[in-house]
């Protein structure tokens, strides 16, 4: 599902127009990103937890020239934790798919 489909489903469920649903999604995204930039952890009960973690600088291999080592600079990475309901849904889907085989 992409952002447009999500906005459409939200608009149908809440009986609002699609533009308002798109604005809600964009606002949620902006709020989460702003909090992560301030090194805050964002926890939405029943949905998930987001945090920004610092990845240390390291040596890496140049994918175009495997014999050449390159310096990979330190950077911030968004880390998300799956909610238990989502993890259970994945288990259910994998069990269902394996039962169909």
């Amino acid at each position: 599902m992409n952002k447009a489909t999500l906005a459409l489903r939200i608009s149908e469920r809440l009986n609002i127009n699609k533009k308002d649903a798109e604005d809600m999604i964009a606002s949620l995204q902006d709020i989460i990103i702003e909090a992560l930039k301030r090194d805050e952890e964002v926890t939405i009960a029943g949905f998930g937890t987001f945090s920004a973690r610092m990845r240390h600088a390291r040596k890496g291999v140049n994918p175009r020239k495997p014999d050449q080592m390159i310096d990979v600079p330190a950077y911030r990475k968004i880390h998300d934790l799956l909610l238990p309901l989502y993890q259970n849904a994945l288990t259910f889907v994998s069990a269902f798919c394996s039962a169909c085989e």
Side-chain angles (χ1 to χ4, degrees):
M1 176 183 300
N2 60 23
K3 197 186 305 187
T5 306
L6 179 62
L8 179 62
R9 292 205 183 156
I10 290 172
S11 69
E12 290 169 351
R13 184 167 289 187
L14 298 179
N15 199 23
I16 59 176
N17 64 40
K18 188 177 174 190
K19 177 67 175 138
D20 289 341
E22 289 171 349
D23 291 344
M24 289 171 57
I25 294 169
S27 294
L28 177 64
Q29 239 179 341
D30 291 343
I31 291 167
I32 291 172
I33 289 170
E34 288 169 5
L36 293 175
K37 285 181 180 178
R38 292 189 304 267
D39 287 330
E40 295 175 9
E41 185 175 272
V42 178
T43 301
I44 302 171
F47 185 74
T49 301
F50 304 89
S51 61
R53 295 186 180 172
M54 194 67 180
R55 297 286 308 247
H56 297 288
R58 61 184 173 83
K59 292 281 187 187
V61 177
N62 184 347
R64 293 186 182 181
K65 298 178 184 175
D67 57 329
Q68 181 183 24
M69 297 298 288
I70 58 173
D71 291 321
V72 178
Y75 64 96
R76 293 172 56 116
K77 180 179 190 284
I78 295 176
H79 177 73
D80 58 333
L81 299 173
L82 296 177
L83 69 153
L85 292 175
Y86 179 72
Q87 291 171 338
N88 291 340
L90 288 178
T91 304
F92 173 76
V93 169
S94 65
F96 180 77
C97 291
S98 63
C100 294
E101 293 175 349

